[in-house]
Amino acid sequence: MATISPRARSGAHTLPSEEVRSTRDRSAGELLAAVTADVQHLLRQEVRLAKAEIQEEASKAGKAAGMFGGAGFAGYMVALFLSLAAVFGLANVMDAGWAALIVTAVWAVIAAVLFVLGRSRMREVSPKPDRTIETLKEDAQWARHPTK
């Protein structure tokens, strides 16, 4: 009478190397091949899991980015209508042309300040992944001399 292993009863997936033969009847080469096949199978499963997780997170990020885009557009519309309200408000005190020119000048100052701040922050950005390069150099050094 054949017995069913607890793993098989639980519905767990079997690895490709699981066979009916006992490990005592297998040669070292067969055992090594089985271990290699198991590791390959495990790595493939891990890669599939990672892809699924990345796709799920990318979907969430895409939805959030869409909401940020909508918020940016709404903010633009608020700024536009506030600017129009400022022009109409100033037009009660002075000529409408001068009112529009004043509001435009205020926006020009805001744009210039944001540009200068953005340019200074952009200069701080490094296109090279310095920490990654350093760790790769350390890994290469370790691979050459693993005992150090």
Side-chain angles (χ1 to χ4, degrees):
M1 176 161 135
T3 60
I4 299 175
S5 72
R7 189 167 189 212
R9 270 188 262 132
S10 70
H13 295 288
T14 58
L15 296 173
S17 65
E18 293 180 353
E19 297 177 359
V20 179
R21 282 195 327 167
S22 165
T23 55
R24 292 182 191 166
D25 297 339
R26 299 166 106 183
S27 70
E30 289 175 326
L31 290 173
L32 184 59
V35 168
T36 303
D38 289 348
V39 169
Q40 288 175 346
H41 182 72
L42 180 62
L43 289 175
R44 284 189 200 107
Q45 286 179 329
E46 292 296 330
V47 167
R48 279 196 297 269
L49 177 62
K51 284 181 182 178
E53 286 178 333
I54 289 170
Q55 287 175 344
E56 183 178 334
E57 292 303 313
S59 173
K60 288 180 189 177
K63 290 175 185 175
M67 290 180 190
F68 277 133
F73 178 72
Y76 167 76
M77 295 302 291
V78 167
L80 176 69
F81 286 114
L82 279 176
S83 297
L84 284 173
V87 168
F88 290 137
L90 286 174
N92 288 330
V93 179
M94 62 182 69
D95 187 40
W98 287 109
L101 189 60
I102 290 171
V103 172
T104 302
V106 169
W107 275 113
V109 169
I110 292 171
V113 168
L114 289 175
F115 174 78
V116 169
L117 291 173
R119 185 177 60 180
S120 68
R121 290 228 177 133
M122 186 58 82
R123 288 182 177 161
E124 296 172 4
V125 174
S126 173
K128 285 191 323 188
D130 294 324
R131 287 182 285 170
T132 303
I133 291 171
E134 187 62 34
T135 58
L136 286 174
K137 287 178 182 178
E138 290 172 5
D139 291 346
Q141 180 70 20
W142 179 85
R144 282 188 227 114
H145 309 288
T147 57
K148 288 186 178 180

